[in-house]
Amino acid sequence: MVRIAAAGDVHASEATRSRIGEAFAAVEREAELVLLAGDLTTHGEMEQAEVLAEATRDIGVPVVAVLGNHDLHSGHGEEISSIVRGAGVRMLDREAIVLELAGQEIGVVGTKGFVGGFSGSQLPDFGEPLLRRVYAETTEEVDAISRGLQEIAHCPIRIVLLHYAPTSDTLHGEPEGIWTYLGSDRLATPIAEYRPDVVLHGHAHSGSFEGAIGAVPVYNVAVHVTGRDFYVFELEGHDVEVETRA
């Protein structure tokens, strides 16, 4: 069994320094791996990234993360990644990583994901160049998930870590009028094909906790949804059963 602590949308800032520090100090006693599903900072400022870096620098378990839209808001995405990498966080951007935990290999595919909508309300690959660039950006994210899942196909446990939602299941609670901006079911295509053991995302603060893509469980781990600093998942075996606990 491997225990994985996940959180999205921690929105680090000076105002949250104490809470975030305490949360990371406690979580290493609860899990062998920490996954952060984007929006590491409040407004993508480097000073906010330093708050998260301070909290993760001395943590005794691996931390893997992706960026979210807040982290890119001020145009400092590369700097944000560099700062938290300096504190030991494994930042993934259209990449995969394999970690050895509890005597077995855990594969994580990590990327931000992007917008595009869901069945009945999807942005098409048609029209103005700017809209087609949005479509193309989502395509790059989809391709990255596909490549990553092929790279970690040998791992007994395979996880996809995103910021944006790959299914509308976990958006219920958000106004349907903004679902197009909360994710895209195009992200689900490689997930349905390669069937990882679990998918984790954030972004939808008022969404729902649990959904699925076929038989693959999907969890919205935004802290606003889980109501806690981290949600701990217990994963065991190749055909993973996901047990959730506080």
Side-chain angles (χ1 to χ4, degrees), residues 112-117 123 134-135 137-139 164 179-184 186-187 203:
K112 173 175 59 65
F114 203 43
V115 302
L123 290 175
V134 170
Y135 187 93
E137 181 73 9
T138 305
T139 299
Y164 287 88
W179 283 11
T180 298
Y181 310 105
L182 297 178
S184 171
R186 294 178 61 210
L187 302 168
H203 192 45

Side-chain angles (χ1 to χ4, degrees), residues 14-236:
E14 189 59 43
T16 61
R17 181 184 293 272
S18 176
R19 180 180 62 79
I20 287 176
E22 291 172 3
F24 276 90
V27 76
E28 64 179 323
R29 299 191 294 271
E30 296 292 324
E32 286 86 38
L33 173 64
V34 174
L35 299 178
L36 301 177
D39 280 4
L40 312 178
T41 63
T42 304
H43 295 112
E45 300 294 347
M46 289 176 279
E47 295 83 0
Q48 296 165 353
E50 292 285 1
V51 172
L52 185 68
E54 179 182 312
T56 59
R57 185 165 284 114
D58 296 322
I59 191 171
V61 298
V63 181
V64 178
V66 298
L67 294 180
N69 59 308
H70 280 237
D71 304 315
L72 299 169
H73 173 72
S74 298
H76 299 309
E78 291 186 9
E79 293 88 344
I80 299 291
S81 291
S82 179
I83 289 167
V84 294
R85 276 198 184 101
V89 177
R90 279 74 172 248
M91 293 298 301
L92 299 181
D93 181 13
R94 300 177 179 173
E95 299 169 277
I97 189 172
V98 176
L99 303 163
E100 186 166 331
L101 300 171
Q104 60 185 324
E105 290 185 321
I106 312 298
V108 182
V109 177
T111 194
K112 173 175 59 65
F114 203 43
V115 302
F118 301 86
S119 180
S121 181
Q122 294 174 319
L123 290 175
D125 186 18
F126 181 83
E128 298 178 47
L130 273 175
L131 286 175
R132 298 194 69 190
R133 281 170 55 190
V134 170
Y135 187 93
E137 181 73 9
T138 305
T139 299
E140 291 293 328
E141 296 290 314
V142 171
D143 290 346
I145 296 169
S146 180
R147 288 194 307 271
L149 284 171
Q150 292 174 62
E151 289 176 24
I152 66 168
H154 65 285
C155 294
I157 295 177
R158 297 162 299 134
I159 301 166
V160 174
L161 179 65
L162 304 169
H163 182 59
Y164 287 88
T167 172
S168 60
D169 286 0
T170 49
L171 299 184
H172 292 282
E174 295 279 7
E176 288 192 35
I178 68 169
W179 283 11
T180 298
Y181 310 105
L182 297 178
S184 171
D185 58 9
R186 294 178 61 210
L187 302 168
T189 300
I191 293 167
E193 180 177 1
Y194 294 104
R195 294 183 295 178
D197 299 302
V198 65
V199 179
L200 305 173
H201 75 86
H203 192 45
H205 294 188
S206 298
S208 302
F209 176 59
E210 187 172 6
I213 296 170
V216 179
V218 179
Y219 296 95
N220 177 358
V221 294
V223 296
H224 314 74
V225 173
T226 65
R228 60 197 74 182
D229 293 318
F230 291 97
Y231 211 97
V232 178
F233 297 84
E234 296 178 349
L235 286 74
E236 185 173 9

